Amino acid sequence: MADQIPPCPECGSEYTYEDGGIVVCPMCNHEFAPGASSDAEPEARVFRDSVGNELADGDTVTVTVNLDVKGGSPIKRGTKVPKIKLLDEPVNGHDISATVPGAGQMYLKTSVVKKA
Ligand SMILES: [Zn+2]
């Protein structure tokens, strides 16, 4: 139940209700932010390259291995890939979407790139 309103942390009352994004307890008038003290919110995913550097959208990376490309010419080790886009939902295990110079738009894995 994602919409379940948590009980009051002050008095334990279950008669809490949500009002404009905060939860109000009618028993003790305590107001609190729902989910603030729980682990309901997923933490932002951290993307790391092959050597552990944190990656961000728009970073330029270097490919660290020779990559075979289905139906295209292979991407050579050392190829610079500008303006990567990190994917919260990986595509076939690939968590970077980028346009590789000379190869076009494709998906890469953070494990085969290094921050440039
Ligand atoms: Zn209360």
Side-chain angles (χ1 to χ4, degrees):
M1 292 281 277
D3 290 330
Q4 204 169 359
I5 297 173
C8 175
E10 286 293 308
C11 69
S13 164
E14 290 174 6
Y15 301 105
T16 47
Y17 60 92
E18 199 160 348
D19 182 23
I22 58 164
V23 177
V24 180
C25 173
M27 307 305 282
C28 70
N29 290 323
H30 181 60
E31 297 178 352
F32 60 100
S37 59
S38 79
D39 56 0
E41 285 285 311
E43 274 184 46
R45 196 173 154 194
V46 177
F47 294 80
R48 293 189 187 280
D49 67 9
S50 56
V51 294
N53 292 317
E54 216 169 288
L55 295 171
D57 274 341
D59 275 354
T60 297
V61 296
T62 305
V63 178
T64 58
V65 295
N66 292 315
L67 294 172
D68 287 323
V69 177
K70 232 180 239 178
S73 50
I75 298 170
K76 287 207 181 94
R77 181 170 184 252
T79 300
K80 266 197 180 176
V81 182
K83 289 187 187 154
I84 60 165
K85 171 146 180 38
L86 299 166
L87 304 173
D88 285 323
E89 299 288 334
V91 178
N92 294 328
H94 296 67
D95 39 18
I96 294 175
S97 170
T99 302
V100 179
Q105 196 277 329
M106 62 183 57
Y107 296 112
L108 297 167
K109 294 181 183 180
T110 50
S111 57
V112 301
V113 300
K114 200 174 141 229
K115 196 167 174 170

